[in-house]
Amino acid sequence: MRTLKFLLQKEFRQIFRDPAIIRILFVMPLVQLMILPRAADYEVKNIKLSVVDHDHSTYSRQLVSKITASGYFILNNYTGSYKEAMLEVEKDHADLILEIPASFEKNVVKEDEGTLFMAVNAINGTKANLGAAYLRSIIQDFNREVRMKWVQFPRFDPEMNLQVTSSNWFNPSLNYRYFMVPGILVVLVTMVGAFLTSLNIVKEKEIGTIEQINVTPIHKYHFILGKLIPFWVLGMVVLSLGLILARFAYNVIPEGSLLTIYVFAAVYLLAVLGLGLLLSTYTANQQQAMLLSFFIMMVFILLGGLYTSIESMPAWAQVVVKFNPVAYFVEVMRMVILKGSSLGDIKQQLLIVFGFAVLLNGWAILSYKKRA
């Protein structure tokens, strides 16, 4: 224990002696947590709309007014030429075209039906999909309002009218920040743990101090623990600062116990630090370690369920996700913070991440032995 104590003192002094590491550890994650959740929003607004109105009737004007009053659309231009509207799309001045045919109101009144044409600029697939869905919903709502006005007339052909009332469980206001902040916090903790651990050990290789350590009677497990424990402690500190910031900046208050989050985070950080340790054994300098860490982190983040639902991924990607520890922590953070899940609810994820921790650290220790 005496040897480990001296190694820990040396590591903490080495970390806090470097101002750049302090900024990377504490300033960068908090700044990113302040910026990213405000920008990463699934809700699409300010969709630029071009309307081609061949009818110029009362109904067509009411429909356009209803669309622009929704708050999702900005009326880019109102014209009678589809060619002119398409030119706006080609210039990227419009995202959607709504074409209202001639005799639209007449067909609706006399034949109980009308046809509208919608063209979508699909370069931005997300914006196109959501914009088209918003517009379709508004048109259906307009159709329902028109039919309700006709109920009093005997010629109205009644048909079954279903009304759906929805309720948003665990996030009643459907606030995307409540959904994104826990996931972004997981990514930041992961980056701090994996990046800094790998860079710290590789730096020892570059300056030659690891050679000096290897010829001392320090046991290998002392060296490994001396490298893991400081960044484990710092990772928990970053998590705590992130939770405090989420509480006061975004009003994100965990429904579940903080103990559940910290128990899972403690095991998770062991897995992430083991990954950083493993990367350091296969790289010769800091550039290699950084590039390799960046490659793996990109895969972890994009396949971690932070921005895309895992269930909507292709089958092969869902298999890859099973080997992604980030996906389990993102899932657990959302379960505890939004749903109030307990340790019993997350025991499966906890056991899997514990398995990652044993595998990655064991692999790193064996690999380090070959190269020592």
Side-chain angles (χ1 to χ4, degrees), residues 20-236:
I21 292 184
I22 301 300
R23 287 193 290 271
I24 292 172
L25 273 172
F26 300 112
V27 179
M28 286 177 56
L30 297 182
V31 171
Q32 287 176 323
L33 194 59
M34 285 295 296
I35 296 173
L36 294 180
R38 300 175 194 278
D41 192 334
Y42 291 150
E43 193 171 21
V44 177
K45 294 180 180 176
N46 301 327
I47 304 166
K48 292 171 283 188
L49 176 70
S50 286
V51 175
V52 182
D53 190 353
H54 298 293
D55 193 39
H56 297 287
S57 63
T58 303
Y59 276 7
S60 69
R61 287 192 291 270
Q62 286 179 354
L63 176 59
V64 174
S65 298
K66 186 175 181 63
I67 293 169
T68 53
S70 67
Y72 293 109
F73 297 91
I74 296 176
L75 186 60
N76 177 63
N77 72 330
Y78 184 85
T79 178
S81 166
Y82 182 80
K83 187 176 180 181
E84 183 180 333
M86 198 61 208
L87 197 60
E88 291 294 302
V89 173
E90 291 174 356
K91 291 179 180 176
D92 205 24
H93 294 166
D95 302 307
L96 276 169
I97 297 175
L98 176 65
E99 185 175 26
I100 304 173
S103 306
F104 169 68
E105 182 177 277
K106 180 182 175 183
N107 291 336
V108 169
V109 172
K110 291 188 175 180
E111 301 176 13
D112 289 346
E113 64 178 20
T115 303
L116 296 170
F117 177 73
M118 184 166 55
V120 183
N121 182 357
I123 290 179
N124 185 333
T126 303
K127 196 172 186 179
N129 275 333
L130 288 177
Y134 291 162
L135 187 55
R136 197 173 294 113
S137 175
I138 293 170
I139 292 172
Q140 287 173 350
D141 192 41
F142 175 77
N143 176 54
R144 187 166 51 250
E145 288 178 4
V146 170
R147 294 181 69 82
M148 288 300 293
K149 290 179 184 176
W150 292 354
V151 168
Q152 56 185 320
F153 298 107
R155 67 173 181 78
F156 176 69
D157 181 18
E159 63 179 33
M160 184 173 64
N161 186 15
L162 297 178
Q163 289 190 346
V164 179
T165 303
S166 63
S167 175
N168 302 316
W169 283 80
F170 312 121
N171 186 4
S173 59
L174 211 61
N175 189 331
Y176 287 109
R177 291 179 183 174
Y178 294 167
F179 184 73
M180 293 300 295
V181 169
I184 291 174
L185 183 55
V186 169
V187 171
L188 296 179
V189 171
T190 307
M191 292 177 71
V192 167
F195 268 120
L196 292 183
T197 308
S198 60
L199 292 179
N200 181 272
I201 297 176
V202 173
K203 186 179 178 183
E204 299 259 17
K205 288 183 182 178
E206 286 186 332
I207 61 179
T209 52
I210 199 166
E211 303 292 341
Q212 298 173 7
I213 293 173
N214 286 340
V215 296
T216 63
I218 295 173
H219 293 292
K220 187 169 49 178
Y221 67 88
H222 280 150
F223 175 75
I224 299 295
L225 289 175
K227 288 294 180 187
L228 292 185
I229 292 175
F231 288 104
W232 183 88
V233 172
L234 293 172
M236 297 296 277

Side-chain angles (χ1 to χ4, degrees), residues 249-363:
Y250 301 105
N251 197 30
V252 176
I253 304 172
E255 290 291 330
S257 168
L258 283 174
L259 178 64
T260 307
I261 295 176
Y262 278 101
V263 168
F264 192 90
V267 179
Y268 175 78
L269 274 171
L270 286 178
V272 170
L273 295 176
L275 175 64
L277 193 63
L278 180 62
L279 294 179
S280 70
T281 63
Y282 285 98
T283 50
N285 53 55
Q286 295 188 65
Q287 286 84 0
Q288 291 179 9
M290 188 174 294
L291 289 173
L292 191 56
S293 300
F294 179 75
F295 167 74
I296 293 176
M297 285 303 302
M298 284 296 291
V299 175
F300 278 1
I301 293 171
L302 293 178
L303 296 179
L306 177 60
Y307 299 106
T308 309
S309 172
I310 293 173
E311 289 73 19
S312 63
M313 294 179 185
W316 64 265
Q318 294 187 31
V319 173
V320 175
V321 169
K322 294 182 186 300
F323 300 95
N324 182 0
V326 174
Y328 294 101
F329 198 14
V330 169
E331 182 184 6
V332 166
M333 283 287 278
R334 286 170 175 166
M335 286 173 67
V336 177
I337 290 179
L338 296 176
K339 196 176 177 181
S341 298
S342 64
L343 278 173
D345 298 320
I346 64 164
K347 61 183 178 185
Q348 183 181 357
Q349 292 88 342
L350 190 61
L351 288 173
I352 293 173
V353 171
F354 179 74
F356 280 128
V358 172
L359 174 67
L360 293 171
N361 284 286
W363 187 355

